[in-house]
């Protein structure tokens, strides 16, 4: 292909891509203009004021730290809780899927605990864990009165996040393992594979799409839980805390900025994981 | 690998808890290098017999004695692993046996060449036609150079022409590797074309009603009168099984 033709192709590709996005942009634009129009006659701040907050994410807000700092605190809490949920939930789910005895043994507990909102456990976790943070757990008391991320990672917070994330992981992993077609396992057995080999090369890859779906649900749940948890007593940092605090001080521009950030991070989480799953885990290569 | 089955029985309990005998008693011995077809109508227990021989299921009583050897198995629907490409599927039994990676690759490439799928080795099963998937399944069953190859109606879901091509390919490969084969089918023509010996099974409970070595020579011509004669004689046995009033 000549260079000119290539450039032309790139240009048409780009145009098609932009055209594909256009219909999706109509609604947001309509909403933004409505907001712009009505903000002058209502209590809502103008879009420009919110944009100012968003465009200067490293400025300190209300002496609570910057947008960057608070978003980072929330994100790290979520990642920590989520990793615990994944590390504990995946093997438990696997065992529940692979062994009927283990499933019967744990069934009642998981079924009872699953619908329980993690927020309902927040008071209990504060009673149990107090406001113990990772600084104290790791014995780094010299950091206690400085601004350090470890001070903001309360055990109780991480506990309820892990609680929120672990059940989707357990259940989806269990369903994934139970849903592996018997013929694959029989084929592997009869072709001479050992139990460990079957686990590693058949059960795991065959249930991977479901396991990954569980992780995606867990991320979404954790992100919802952390925002709610940060708005309740037990912490004084995080994007949820900044949201509530700005509301109490009637700084609605900061409040709306927080809402935007929460929404955008939620979007990045779910879409990002979806793309990652398709790209690297070959989820598409399953039988359809 | 030679194999002998003595007095084998197998029952299942049905929904109401009643014991239902599906197999037996069955006595069968297979010589080394023999190509045996288990021919019978649906539900006569031929697949169950194959599963018992392979060790996927346990018999209630009786015994199977055979030399120790490698086993190959081809399922009805291929049972290829959809998350692996063709090459990895074929390498699976080699890797399961703990073979070194480069040896695995050379063995897999050899068999890929034999079944004519070398260009498709990086494709995934769902990207291939049914015939190609079944060829992959054959290659996966044969790659270890098994002493005993068990096939459970491997060509039943293919169209006639593809089925015939694959029958030829299977027969040539097995002769070349001098593998002992037990081939389960309900297709009489397929059985007559492929086997050295046909074992006809009847149902309720599954039992052997006819066991005969074929004297047809190679290559076999489906249109020759001797072939049709043998075919007709087995068709007769088959019809009698389904409807006993015919024989009178």
């Amino acid at each position: 292909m000549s260079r000119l033709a290539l450039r032309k192709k790139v240009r048409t590709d780009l145009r098609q891509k932009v055209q594909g996005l256009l219909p999706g942009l109509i609604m947001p634009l309509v909403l933004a203009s409505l907001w712009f129009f009505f903000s002058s006659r209502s209590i809502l701040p103008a879009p420009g004021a919110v944009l100012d907050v968003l465009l200067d994410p490293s400025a300190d807000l209300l002496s609570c730290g910057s947008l960057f700092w608070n978003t980072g605190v929330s994100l790290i809490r979520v990642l920590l809780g989520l990793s615990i949920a994944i590390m504990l939930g995946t093997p438990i789910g696997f065992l529940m899927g692979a062994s009927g005895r283990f499933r019967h043994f744990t069934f009642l507990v998981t079924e009872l605990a699953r619908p329980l909102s993690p927020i309902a456990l927040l008071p209990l976790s504060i009673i149990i864990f107090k406001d113990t943070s990772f600084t104290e757990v790791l014995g780094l008391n010299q950091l206690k009165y400085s601004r350090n991320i470890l001070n903001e990672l309360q055990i109780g917070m991480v506990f309820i996040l892990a609680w929120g994330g672990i059940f989707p992981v357990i259940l989806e992993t269990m369903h994934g393992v139970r849903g592996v077609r018997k013929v694959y396992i029989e084929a592997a057995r009869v072709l001479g594979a050992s139990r460990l080999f079957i686990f590693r090369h058949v059960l795991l890859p065959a249930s991977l799409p479901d396991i990954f779906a569980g992780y995606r649900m867990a991320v979404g749940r954790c992100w919802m839980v952390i925002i709610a948890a940060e708005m309740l007593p037990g912490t004084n940092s995080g994007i949820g805390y900044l949201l509530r605090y700005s509301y109490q001080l009637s700084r609605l521009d900061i409040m709306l900025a927080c809402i935007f950030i929460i929404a955008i991070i939620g979007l990045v989480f779910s879409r990002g994981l979806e793309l990652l799953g398709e790209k690297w885990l070959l989820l598409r290569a399953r039988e359809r | 690998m030679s194999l002998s089955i003595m007095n084998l029985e197998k029952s299942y309990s049905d929904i109401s808890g009643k014991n239902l005998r599906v197999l037996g008693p069955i006595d069968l011995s297979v010589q080394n290098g023999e190509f045996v077809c288990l021919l019978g109508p649906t539900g006569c227990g031929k697949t169950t017999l194959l599963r018992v021989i392979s060790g996927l299921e346990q018999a209630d009583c009786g015994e199977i004695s055979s030399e120790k050897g490698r086993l190959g198995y081809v399922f009805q629907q291929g049972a290829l692993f959809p998350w692996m490409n063709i090459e990895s599927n074929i390498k699976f039994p080699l890797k399961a046996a703990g073979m070194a990676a480069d040896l695995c690759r050379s063995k897999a490439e050899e068999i890929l060449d034999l079944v004519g799928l070398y260009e498709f080795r990086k494709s995934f099963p769902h990207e291939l036609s049914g015939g190609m998937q079944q060829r992959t399944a054959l290659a996966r069953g044969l790659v270890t150079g098994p002493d005993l190859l068990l096939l459970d109606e491997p060509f039943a879901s293919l169209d006639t022409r593809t089925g015939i091509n694959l029958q030829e390919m299977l027969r040539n490969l097995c002769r070349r590797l001098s593998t002992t084969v037990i081939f389960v089918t309900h297709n009489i023509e397929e059985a007559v074309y492929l086997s050295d010996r046909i074992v006809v099974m009847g149902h309720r409970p599954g039992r052997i009603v006819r066991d005969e070595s074929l004297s047809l020579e190679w290559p076999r011509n489906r249109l020759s009168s001797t072939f049709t004669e043998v075919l007709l004689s087995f068709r007769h046995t088959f019809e009698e099984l389904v409807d006993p009033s015919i024989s009178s």
Side-chain angles (χ1 to χ4, degrees):
Chain A
M1 206 187 292
S2 74
R3 182 179 280 185
L4 197 72
L6 191 73
R7 197 180 294 164
K8 208 167 175 184
K9 187 179 178 305
V10 168
R11 206 180 294 159
T12 42
D13 280 358
L14 198 71
R15 194 191 299 155
Q16 274 169 356
K17 227 171 213 171
V18 171
Q19 275 172 353
L21 279 175
L22 277 180
L25 288 175
I26 294 173
M27 275 298 278
L29 280 175
V30 169
L31 289 174
S33 44
L34 279 176
W35 174 21
F36 189 77
F37 184 71
F38 285 109
S39 57
S40 51
R41 319 165 182 201
S42 72
I43 194 171
L44 280 181
V50 178
L51 208 62
D52 281 345
V53 179
L54 285 171
L55 288 179
D56 194 6
S58 45
D60 187 86
L61 298 168
L62 314 172
S63 313
C64 290
S66 62
L67 270 181
F68 261 152
W69 163 258
N70 284 295
T71 313
V73 166
S74 299
L75 279 175
I76 289 173
R77 282 174 178 154
V78 164
L79 288 181
L80 206 60
L82 191 68
S83 346
I84 293 173
I86 285 176
M87 280 188 298
L88 286 178
T90 315
I92 294 175
F94 227 98
L95 276 175
M96 283 178 74
S99 144
R101 203 177 301 161
F102 189 76
R103 184 165 58 247
H104 291 306
F105 180 67
T106 47
F107 178 73
L108 201 61
V109 178
T110 46
E111 281 303 302
L112 273 176
R114 187 168 61 101
L116 192 57
S117 162
I119 300 299
L121 291 178
L122 188 63
L124 184 68
S125 89
I126 292 175
I127 293 172
I128 295 174
F129 298 110
K130 311 276 184 319
D131 62 344
T132 315
S133 69
F134 273 76
T135 322
E136 288 147 57
V137 175
L138 298 173
L140 302 167
N141 286 327
Q142 70 273 20
L143 295 177
K144 211 168 171 185
Y145 300 102
S146 62
R147 171 157 283 184
N148 188 290
I149 188 75
L150 288 175
N151 289 329
E152 309 302 334
L153 301 175
Q154 291 86 352
I155 305 285
M157 199 71 90
V158 173
F159 167 75
I160 64 161
L161 282 168
W163 183 278
I166 202 166
F167 293 105
V169 173
I170 289 180
L171 286 173
E172 286 300 309
T173 306
M174 183 184 88
H175 284 147
V177 174
R178 289 188 77 186
V180 176
R181 284 178 58 199
K182 208 173 136 207
V183 69
Y184 297 144
I185 295 162
E186 287 188 336
R189 259 178 68 195
V190 94
L191 293 170
S194 64
R195 292 188 81 148
L196 191 69
F197 196 84
I198 292 177
F199 167 78
R200 165 115 174 57
H201 294 277
V202 179
L203 275 183
L204 200 59
S207 47
L208 208 55
D210 291 300
I211 296 178
F212 202 73
Y215 292 175
R216 266 178 61 198
M217 283 163 71
V219 174
R221 273 192 76 167
C222 281
W223 189 238
M224 285 198 175
V225 167
I226 189 65
I227 303 302
E230 283 171 351
M231 294 175 77
L232 294 167
T235 182
N236 49 17
S237 61
I239 193 86
Y241 176 76
L242 187 62
L243 175 65
R244 193 200 58 161
Y245 195 57
S246 57
Y247 154 75
Q248 283 174 331
L249 297 182
S250 293
R251 284 293 302 271
L252 298 190
D253 50 342
I254 298 177
M255 192 184 88
L256 283 175
C258 289
I259 293 176
F260 269 114
I261 288 181
I262 293 167
I264 283 163
I265 289 177
L267 176 79
V268 169
F269 269 152
S270 78
R271 288 291 296 164
L273 278 173
E274 209 177 307
L275 292 177
L276 194 80
E278 277 173 19
K279 214 165 183 172
W280 284 316
L281 296 173
L282 270 178
L283 304 185
R284 283 276 169 97
R286 289 193 95 190
E287 205 165 22
R288 273 169 274 190
Chain B
M1 178 165 98
S2 65
L3 175 91
S4 91
I5 299 167
M6 275 187 309
N7 226 352
L8 187 115
E9 279 181 44
K10 167 110 191 138
S11 312
Y12 288 119
S13 48
D14 63 4
I15 308 163
S16 58
K18 215 167 56 187
N19 227 24
L20 206 71
R21 196 162 69 173
V22 287
L23 264 191
I26 282 189
D27 295 279
L28 178 72
S29 61
V30 177
Q31 305 303 313
N32 191 18
E34 206 172 18
F35 196 120
V36 179
C37 269
L38 291 179
L39 179 65
T42 320
C44 70
K46 50 195 193 305
T47 295
T48 310
L49 180 58
L50 204 67
R51 289 171 64 88
V52 171
I53 294 173
S54 72
L56 279 177
E57 274 177 59
Q58 294 290 310
D60 299 335
C61 65
E63 67 180 294
I64 301 176
S65 51
S66 68
E67 301 141 35
K68 207 129 185 74
R70 281 185 298 266
L71 194 72
Y73 199 110
V74 180
F75 286 83
Q76 193 167 5
Q77 297 288 350
L80 298 173
F81 303 122
W83 57 90
M84 292 183 191
N85 64 23
I86 298 308
E87 190 179 353
S88 309
N89 259 293
I90 291 174
K91 281 198 290 198
F92 185 90
L94 301 174
K95 278 166 80 181
M99 195 179 273
D102 47 342
L103 197 58
C104 278
R105 187 166 345 108
S106 68
K107 282 221 167 204
E109 282 176 2
E110 193 183 324
I111 197 100
L112 275 164
D113 227 12
L114 284 177
V115 297
L117 284 174
Y118 189 78
E119 298 102 275
F120 297 97
R121 65 191 187 284
K122 297 293 175 205
S123 309
F124 283 88
H126 71 265
E127 295 166 339
L128 302 184
S129 69
M132 285 158 123
Q133 290 182 18
Q134 260 345 64
R135 263 192 276 168
T136 311
L138 274 188
R140 191 175 66 176
L142 280 167
V143 70
T144 51
D147 302 296
L148 177 63
L149 180 64
L150 306 172
L151 302 106
D152 184 8
E153 307 206 21
F155 309 140
S157 57
L158 304 178
D159 64 87
T160 323
R161 191 64 242 173
T162 317
I164 288 175
N165 289 339
L166 284 184
Q167 284 164 22
E168 259 176 58
M169 172 180 280
L170 170 68
R171 187 62 222 205
N172 290 334
L173 284 173
C174 289
R175 289 180 69 157
R176 187 166 165 168
L177 302 166
S178 57
T179 317
T180 311
V181 182
I182 303 181
F183 188 104
V184 161
T185 183
H186 62 256
N187 181 334
I188 306 168
E189 191 187 311
E190 185 173 63
V192 175
Y193 181 76
L194 282 171
S195 19
D196 298 324
R197 178 175 153 208
I198 296 181
V199 175
V200 183
M201 288 179 69
H203 44 6
R204 284 187 209 115
R207 65 202 191 284
I208 294 170
V209 295
R210 182 173 169 187
D211 183 347
E212 193 175 311
S213 294
L214 304 188
S215 51
L216 293 166
E217 67 227 8
W218 292 93
R220 286 179 184 174
N221 179 357
R222 286 168 213 267
L223 300 173
S224 72
S225 54
T226 38
F227 189 94
T228 350
E229 232 168 78
V230 178
L231 187 66
L232 275 177
S233 115
F234 277 100
R235 178 151 294 155
H236 195 78
T237 316
F238 217 73
E239 293 298 326
E240 267 176 17
L241 274 175
V242 184
D243 182 7
S245 63
I246 289 177
S247 55
S248 56

